[in-house]
mmCIF file of all heavy atoms in Angstrom:
data_model
loop_
_atom_site.group_PDB
_atom_site.id
_atom_site.type_symbol
_atom_site.label_atom_id
_atom_site.label_comp_id
_atom_site.label_asym_id
_atom_site.label_seq_id
_atom_site.Cartn_x
_atom_site.Cartn_y
_atom_site.Cartn_z
ATOM 1 N N PHE U 58 -11.366 -19.591 -11.334
ATOM 2 C CA PHE U 58 -10.033 -19.402 -10.750
ATOM 3 C C PHE U 58 -8.988 -20.390 -11.264
ATOM 4 O O PHE U 58 -7.851 -19.992 -11.542
ATOM 5 C CB PHE U 58 -10.100 -19.443 -9.228
ATOM 6 C CG PHE U 58 -10.463 -18.122 -8.610
ATOM 7 C CD1 PHE U 58 -10.894 -18.044 -7.295
ATOM 8 C CD2 PHE U 58 -10.378 -16.947 -9.325
ATOM 9 C CE1 PHE U 58 -11.228 -16.828 -6.713
ATOM 10 C CE2 PHE U 58 -10.709 -15.721 -8.769
ATOM 11 C CZ PHE U 58 -11.134 -15.672 -7.458
ATOM 12 N N PRO U 59 -9.296 -21.694 -11.399
ATOM 13 C CA PRO U 59 -8.280 -22.594 -11.970
ATOM 14 C C PRO U 59 -7.903 -22.218 -13.404
ATOM 15 O O PRO U 59 -6.727 -22.306 -13.785
ATOM 16 C CB PRO U 59 -8.969 -23.968 -11.918
ATOM 17 C CG PRO U 59 -9.941 -23.858 -10.801
ATOM 18 C CD PRO U 59 -10.449 -22.444 -10.877
ATOM 19 N N VAL U 60 -8.885 -21.786 -14.215
ATOM 20 C CA VAL U 60 -8.589 -21.362 -15.587
ATOM 21 C C VAL U 60 -7.703 -20.118 -15.563
ATOM 22 O O VAL U 60 -6.698 -20.035 -16.280
ATOM 23 C CB VAL U 60 -9.898 -21.074 -16.357
ATOM 24 C CG1 VAL U 60 -9.583 -20.540 -17.764
ATOM 25 C CG2 VAL U 60 -10.759 -22.324 -16.446
ATOM 26 N N ASP U 61 -8.066 -19.153 -14.730
ATOM 27 C CA ASP U 61 -7.275 -17.929 -14.616
ATOM 28 C C ASP U 61 -5.874 -18.233 -14.092
ATOM 29 O O ASP U 61 -4.886 -17.623 -14.522
ATOM 30 C CB ASP U 61 -7.986 -16.946 -13.683
ATOM 31 C CG ASP U 61 -7.354 -15.560 -13.720
ATOM 32 O OD1 ASP U 61 -7.252 -14.992 -14.813
ATOM 33 O OD2 ASP U 61 -6.955 -15.065 -12.651
ATOM 34 N N GLY U 62 -5.778 -19.198 -13.169
ATOM 35 C CA GLY U 62 -4.463 -19.594 -12.649
ATOM 36 C C GLY U 62 -3.590 -20.213 -13.720
ATOM 37 O O GLY U 62 -2.383 -19.951 -13.797
ATOM 38 N N LEU U 63 -4.195 -21.040 -14.572
ATOM 39 C CA LEU U 63 -3.451 -21.637 -15.683
ATOM 40 C C LEU U 63 -2.867 -20.554 -16.585
ATOM 41 O O LEU U 63 -1.722 -20.631 -17.028
ATOM 42 C CB LEU U 63 -4.385 -22.544 -16.489
ATOM 43 C CG LEU U 63 -3.772 -23.316 -17.650
ATOM 44 C CD1 LEU U 63 -2.794 -24.368 -17.139
ATOM 45 C CD2 LEU U 63 -4.868 -23.974 -18.487
ATOM 46 N N LEU U 64 -3.656 -19.499 -16.807
ATOM 47 C CA LEU U 64 -3.217 -18.415 -17.687
ATOM 48 C C LEU U 64 -2.291 -17.423 -16.995
ATOM 49 O O LEU U 64 -1.759 -16.521 -17.645
ATOM 50 C CB LEU U 64 -4.451 -17.695 -18.254
ATOM 51 C CG LEU U 64 -5.333 -18.572 -19.145
ATOM 52 C CD1 LEU U 64 -6.614 -17.845 -19.516
ATOM 53 C CD2 LEU U 64 -4.591 -19.017 -20.398
ATOM 54 N N GLU U 65 -2.079 -17.589 -15.682
ATOM 55 C CA GLU U 65 -1.095 -16.756 -14.988
ATOM 56 C C GLU U 65 0.309 -17.035 -15.518
ATOM 57 O O GLU U 65 1.219 -16.216 -15.375
ATOM 58 C CB GLU U 65 -1.159 -17.019 -13.481
ATOM 59 C CG GLU U 65 -0.262 -16.135 -12.633
ATOM 60 C CD GLU U 65 -0.602 -14.641 -12.745
ATOM 61 O OE1 GLU U 65 -1.725 -14.305 -13.168
ATOM 62 O OE2 GLU U 65 0.276 -13.829 -12.428
ATOM 63 N N SER U 66 0.478 -18.190 -16.164
ATOM 64 C CA SER U 66 1.755 -18.507 -16.810
ATOM 65 C C SER U 66 2.130 -17.448 -17.843
ATOM 66 O O SER U 66 3.313 -17.216 -18.118
ATOM 67 C CB SER U 66 1.684 -19.879 -17.486
ATOM 68 O OG SER U 66 0.635 -19.909 -18.445
ATOM 69 N N VAL U 67 1.119 -16.795 -18.431
ATOM 70 C CA VAL U 67 1.385 -15.745 -19.423
ATOM 71 C C VAL U 67 2.153 -14.601 -18.768
ATOM 72 O O VAL U 67 3.117 -14.063 -19.339
ATOM 73 C CB VAL U 67 0.060 -15.227 -20.030
ATOM 74 C CG1 VAL U 67 0.334 -14.095 -21.020
ATOM 75 C CG2 VAL U 67 -0.683 -16.363 -20.714
ATOM 76 N N THR U 68 1.732 -14.207 -17.560
ATOM 77 C CA THR U 68 2.454 -13.160 -16.822
ATOM 78 C C THR U 68 3.898 -13.564 -16.577
ATOM 79 O O THR U 68 4.829 -12.800 -16.830
ATOM 80 C CB THR U 68 1.767 -12.886 -15.462
ATOM 81 O OG1 THR U 68 0.405 -12.538 -15.691
ATOM 82 C CG2 THR U 68 2.465 -11.768 -14.711
ATOM 83 N N ILE U 69 4.084 -14.775 -16.080
ATOM 84 C CA ILE U 69 5.417 -15.261 -15.712
ATOM 85 C C ILE U 69 6.317 -15.357 -16.939
ATOM 86 O O ILE U 69 7.463 -14.876 -16.933
ATOM 87 C CB ILE U 69 5.306 -16.634 -15.009
ATOM 88 C CG1 ILE U 69 4.511 -16.505 -13.701
ATOM 89 C CG2 ILE U 69 6.696 -17.226 -14.731
ATOM 90 C CD1 ILE U 69 4.069 -17.835 -13.118
ATOM 91 N N LEU U 70 5.821 -15.975 -18.011
ATOM 92 C CA LEU U 70 6.654 -16.226 -19.194
ATOM 93 C C LEU U 70 6.917 -14.946 -19.996
ATOM 94 O O LEU U 70 8.030 -14.741 -20.483
ATOM 95 C CB LEU U 70 5.983 -17.273 -20.086
ATOM 96 C CG LEU U 70 5.898 -18.686 -19.492
ATOM 97 C CD1 LEU U 70 5.040 -19.594 -20.365
ATOM 98 C CD2 LEU U 70 7.293 -19.286 -19.320
ATOM 99 N N ILE U 71 5.900 -14.087 -20.141
ATOM 100 C CA ILE U 71 6.116 -12.838 -20.881
ATOM 101 C C ILE U 71 7.092 -11.943 -20.129
ATOM 102 O O ILE U 71 8.004 -11.345 -20.731
ATOM 103 C CB ILE U 71 4.770 -12.102 -21.117
ATOM 104 C CG1 ILE U 71 4.000 -12.816 -22.230
ATOM 105 C CG2 ILE U 71 5.009 -10.633 -21.499
ATOM 106 C CD1 ILE U 71 2.661 -12.189 -22.569
ATOM 107 N N ALA U 72 6.928 -11.848 -18.800
ATOM 108 C CA ALA U 72 7.836 -11.008 -18.007
ATOM 109 C C ALA U 72 9.276 -11.485 -18.139
ATOM 110 O O ALA U 72 10.198 -10.683 -18.340
ATOM 111 C CB ALA U 72 7.412 -11.020 -16.541
ATOM 112 N N LYS U 73 9.478 -12.786 -18.038
ATOM 113 C CA LYS U 73 10.833 -13.352 -18.111
ATOM 114 C C LYS U 73 11.458 -13.123 -19.488
ATOM 115 O O LYS U 73 12.613 -12.697 -19.602
ATOM 116 C CB LYS U 73 10.786 -14.847 -17.796
ATOM 117 C CG LYS U 73 12.144 -15.503 -17.685
ATOM 118 C CD LYS U 73 11.997 -16.953 -17.270
ATOM 119 C CE LYS U 73 13.348 -17.642 -17.181
ATOM 120 N NZ LYS U 73 13.214 -19.066 -16.788
ATOM 121 N N ASN U 74 10.699 -13.386 -20.553
ATOM 122 C CA ASN U 74 11.239 -13.252 -21.914
ATOM 123 C C ASN U 74 11.367 -11.793 -22.331
ATOM 124 O O ASN U 74 12.268 -11.452 -23.104
ATOM 125 C CB ASN U 74 10.351 -14.023 -22.904
ATOM 126 C CG ASN U 74 10.574 -15.525 -22.820
ATOM 127 O OD1 ASN U 74 11.577 -16.050 -23.291
ATOM 128 N ND2 ASN U 74 9.649 -16.214 -22.190
ATOM 129 N N TYR U 75 10.486 -10.933 -21.816
ATOM 130 C CA TYR U 75 10.629 -9.512 -22.099
ATOM 131 C C TYR U 75 11.880 -8.957 -21.431
ATOM 132 O O TYR U 75 12.574 -8.103 -21.978
ATOM 133 C CB TYR U 75 9.387 -8.738 -21.637
ATOM 134 C CG TYR U 75 9.267 -7.372 -22.260
ATOM 135 C CD1 TYR U 75 8.800 -7.216 -23.563
ATOM 136 C CD2 TYR U 75 9.629 -6.234 -21.550
ATOM 137 C CE1 TYR U 75 8.690 -5.963 -24.146
ATOM 138 C CE2 TYR U 75 9.525 -4.968 -22.128
ATOM 139 C CZ TYR U 75 9.058 -4.844 -23.422
ATOM 140 O OH TYR U 75 8.964 -3.596 -23.994
ATOM 141 N N GLY U 76 12.173 -9.494 -20.231
ATOM 142 C CA GLY U 76 13.414 -9.113 -19.554
ATOM 143 C C GLY U 76 14.645 -9.536 -20.338
ATOM 144 O O GLY U 76 15.668 -8.852 -20.317
ATOM 145 N N LYS U 77 14.537 -10.641 -21.047
ATOM 146 C CA LYS U 77 15.639 -11.127 -21.887
ATOM 147 C C LYS U 77 15.659 -10.449 -23.265
ATOM 148 O O LYS U 77 16.541 -10.738 -24.081
ATOM 149 C CB LYS U 77 15.492 -12.641 -22.108
ATOM 150 C CG LYS U 77 15.703 -13.487 -20.872
ATOM 151 C CD LYS U 77 15.498 -14.954 -21.234
ATOM 152 C CE LYS U 77 15.731 -15.866 -20.060
ATOM 153 N NZ LYS U 77 15.473 -17.291 -20.403
ATOM 154 N N LYS U 78 14.660 -9.616 -23.559
ATOM 155 C CA LYS U 78 14.505 -8.942 -24.856
ATOM 156 C C LYS U 78 14.185 -9.927 -25.984
ATOM 157 O O LYS U 78 14.461 -9.663 -27.159
ATOM 158 C CB LYS U 78 15.770 -8.143 -25.235
ATOM 159 C CG LYS U 78 16.290 -7.232 -24.140
ATOM 160 C CD LYS U 78 15.282 -6.198 -23.712
ATOM 161 C CE LYS U 78 15.852 -5.268 -22.640
ATOM 162 N NZ LYS U 78 14.816 -4.348 -22.101
ATOM 163 N N ASP U 79 13.577 -11.066 -25.637
ATOM 164 C CA ASP U 79 13.212 -12.063 -26.642
ATOM 165 C C ASP U 79 11.756 -11.825 -27.060
ATOM 166 O O ASP U 79 10.821 -12.496 -26.605
ATOM 167 C CB ASP U 79 13.374 -13.475 -26.062
ATOM 168 C CG ASP U 79 13.208 -14.567 -27.111
ATOM 169 O OD1 ASP U 79 12.759 -14.248 -28.227
ATOM 170 O OD2 ASP U 79 13.500 -15.737 -26.803
ATOM 171 N N LEU U 80 11.545 -10.857 -27.981
ATOM 172 C CA LEU U 80 10.203 -10.448 -28.367
ATOM 173 C C LEU U 80 9.494 -11.499 -29.218
ATOM 174 O O LEU U 80 8.261 -11.578 -29.217
ATOM 175 C CB LEU U 80 10.253 -9.121 -29.115
ATOM 176 C CG LEU U 80 10.761 -7.917 -28.303
ATOM 177 C CD1 LEU U 80 10.699 -6.653 -29.162
ATOM 178 C CD2 LEU U 80 9.948 -7.731 -27.032
ATOM 179 N N ILE U 81 10.243 -12.299 -29.938
ATOM 180 C CA ILE U 81 9.631 -13.370 -30.732
ATOM 181 C C ILE U 81 8.938 -14.367 -29.809
ATOM 182 O O ILE U 81 7.809 -14.803 -30.060
ATOM 183 C CB ILE U 81 10.688 -14.085 -31.600
ATOM 184 C CG1 ILE U 81 11.232 -13.125 -32.664
ATOM 185 C CG2 ILE U 81 10.097 -15.329 -32.254
ATOM 186 C CD1 ILE U 81 12.362 -13.685 -33.488
ATOM 187 N N MET U 82 9.605 -14.707 -28.723
ATOM 188 C CA MET U 82 9.023 -15.644 -27.766
ATOM 189 C C MET U 82 7.819 -15.022 -27.067
ATOM 190 O O MET U 82 6.822 -15.705 -26.799
ATOM 191 C CB MET U 82 10.080 -16.064 -26.732
ATOM 192 C CG MET U 82 9.651 -17.258 -25.887
ATOM 193 S SD MET U 82 9.371 -18.718 -26.923
ATOM 194 C CE MET U 82 8.484 -19.779 -25.784
ATOM 195 N N VAL U 83 7.889 -13.725 -26.775
ATOM 196 C CA VAL U 83 6.751 -13.034 -26.164
ATOM 197 C C VAL U 83 5.530 -13.136 -27.082
ATOM 198 O O VAL U 83 4.416 -13.440 -26.624
ATOM 199 C CB VAL U 83 7.096 -11.548 -25.881
ATOM 200 C CG1 VAL U 83 5.840 -10.778 -25.477
ATOM 201 C CG2 VAL U 83 8.152 -11.439 -24.793
ATOM 202 N N LYS U 84 5.745 -12.870 -28.356
ATOM 203 C CA LYS U 84 4.660 -12.937 -29.345
ATOM 204 C C LYS U 84 4.100 -14.355 -29.447
ATOM 205 O O LYS U 84 2.877 -14.558 -29.538
ATOM 206 C CB LYS U 84 5.195 -12.475 -30.699
ATOM 207 C CG LYS U 84 4.138 -12.333 -31.770
ATOM 208 C CD LYS U 84 4.755 -11.764 -33.044
ATOM 209 C CE LYS U 84 3.713 -11.599 -34.145
ATOM 210 N NZ LYS U 84 4.328 -11.055 -35.390
ATOM 211 N N LYS U 85 5.004 -15.331 -29.416
ATOM 212 C CA LYS U 85 4.587 -16.732 -29.516
ATOM 213 C C LYS U 85 3.756 -17.142 -28.298
ATOM 214 O O LYS U 85 2.718 -17.815 -28.431
ATOM 215 C CB LYS U 85 5.838 -17.620 -29.630
ATOM 216 C CG LYS U 85 5.521 -19.078 -29.956
ATOM 217 C CD LYS U 85 6.788 -19.907 -30.065
ATOM 218 C CE LYS U 85 7.606 -19.493 -31.273
ATOM 219 N NZ LYS U 85 8.763 -20.417 -31.470
ATOM 220 N N ILE U 86 4.170 -16.734 -27.121
ATOM 221 C CA ILE U 86 3.436 -17.064 -25.892
ATOM 222 C C ILE U 86 2.041 -16.445 -25.940
ATOM 223 O O ILE U 86 1.045 -17.095 -25.602
ATOM 224 C CB ILE U 86 4.209 -16.572 -24.648
ATOM 225 C CG1 ILE U 86 5.471 -17.409 -24.460
ATOM 226 C CG2 ILE U 86 3.332 -16.647 -23.384
ATOM 227 C CD1 ILE U 86 6.478 -16.781 -23.526
ATOM 228 N N PHE U 87 1.977 -15.185 -26.363
ATOM 229 C CA PHE U 87 0.692 -14.479 -26.411
ATOM 230 C C PHE U 87 -0.290 -15.193 -27.339
ATOM 231 O O PHE U 87 -1.443 -15.456 -26.966
ATOM 232 C CB PHE U 87 0.912 -13.042 -26.876
ATOM 233 C CG PHE U 87 -0.358 -12.282 -27.105
ATOM 234 C CD1 PHE U 87 -1.130 -11.846 -26.044
ATOM 235 C CD2 PHE U 87 -0.788 -12.007 -28.400
ATOM 236 C CE1 PHE U 87 -2.315 -11.152 -26.257
ATOM 237 C CE2 PHE U 87 -1.966 -11.307 -28.619
ATOM 238 C CZ PHE U 87 -2.729 -10.877 -27.552
ATOM 239 N N LYS U 88 0.139 -15.514 -28.545
ATOM 240 C CA LYS U 88 -0.749 -16.132 -29.532
ATOM 241 C C LYS U 88 -1.221 -17.510 -29.078
ATOM 242 O O LYS U 88 -2.410 -17.838 -29.185
ATOM 243 C CB LYS U 88 -0.035 -16.235 -30.885
ATOM 244 C CG LYS U 88 -0.946 -16.710 -32.008
ATOM 245 C CD LYS U 88 -0.237 -16.611 -33.351
ATOM 246 C CE LYS U 88 -1.169 -17.033 -34.487
ATOM 247 N NZ LYS U 88 -0.523 -16.884 -35.814
ATOM 248 N N ASN U 89 -0.305 -18.303 -28.548
ATOM 249 C CA ASN U 89 -0.670 -19.650 -28.107
ATOM 250 C C ASN U 89 -1.524 -19.626 -26.842
ATOM 251 O O ASN U 89 -2.364 -20.503 -26.630
ATOM 252 C CB ASN U 89 0.589 -20.483 -27.880
ATOM 253 C CG ASN U 89 1.207 -20.973 -29.177
ATOM 254 O OD1 ASN U 89 0.886 -22.049 -29.661
ATOM 255 N ND2 ASN U 89 2.092 -20.163 -29.761
ATOM 256 N N ALA U 90 -1.333 -18.595 -26.009
ATOM 257 C CA ALA U 90 -2.133 -18.474 -24.791
ATOM 258 C C ALA U 90 -3.605 -18.240 -25.115
ATOM 259 O O ALA U 90 -4.490 -18.723 -24.392
ATOM 260 C CB ALA U 90 -1.605 -17.343 -23.923
ATOM 261 N N LEU U 91 -3.885 -17.522 -26.200
ATOM 262 C CA LEU U 91 -5.277 -17.299 -26.610
ATOM 263 C C LEU U 91 -5.947 -18.620 -26.995
ATOM 264 O O LEU U 91 -7.138 -18.821 -26.719
ATOM 265 C CB LEU U 91 -5.337 -16.311 -27.777
ATOM 266 C CG LEU U 91 -4.991 -14.856 -27.432
ATOM 267 C CD1 LEU U 91 -4.940 -14.008 -28.701
ATOM 268 C CD2 LEU U 91 -5.992 -14.267 -26.448
ATOM 269 N N VAL U 92 -5.190 -19.516 -27.611
ATOM 270 C CA VAL U 92 -5.730 -20.839 -27.953
ATOM 271 C C VAL U 92 -6.047 -21.627 -26.683
ATOM 272 O O VAL U 92 -7.112 -22.244 -26.551
ATOM 273 C CB VAL U 92 -4.725 -21.620 -28.832
ATOM 274 C CG1 VAL U 92 -5.224 -23.041 -29.090
ATOM 275 C CG2 VAL U 92 -4.491 -20.896 -30.146
ATOM 276 N N VAL U 93 -5.108 -21.596 -25.729
ATOM 277 C CA VAL U 93 -5.325 -22.280 -24.450
ATOM 278 C C VAL U 93 -6.550 -21.697 -23.743
ATOM 279 O O VAL U 93 -7.359 -22.421 -23.157
ATOM 280 C CB VAL U 93 -4.077 -22.145 -23.545
ATOM 281 C CG1 VAL U 93 -4.342 -22.731 -22.165
ATOM 282 C CG2 VAL U 93 -2.879 -22.838 -24.189
ATOM 283 N N CYS U 94 -6.693 -20.383 -23.828
ATOM 284 C CA CYS U 94 -7.812 -19.677 -23.194
ATOM 285 C C CYS U 94 -9.152 -20.196 -23.720
ATOM 286 O O CYS U 94 -10.063 -20.512 -22.940
ATOM 287 C CB CYS U 94 -7.686 -18.177 -23.447
ATOM 288 S SG CYS U 94 -9.180 -17.225 -23.125
#
Side-chain angles (χ1 to χ4, degrees):
F58 276 164
V60 176
D61 191 56
L63 183 68
L64 296 173
E65 185 61 19
S66 58
V67 178
T68 304
I69 297 166
L70 293 172
I71 284 180
K73 187 176 179 181
N74 284 285
Y75 198 78
K77 292 179 178 178
K78 311 300 182 187
D79 188 349
L80 296 182
I81 294 175
M82 192 61 194
V83 170
K84 187 176 180 181
K85 189 180 293 187
I86 290 164
F87 174 73
K88 187 172 182 177
N89 283 270
L91 290 174
V92 175
V93 174
C94 164

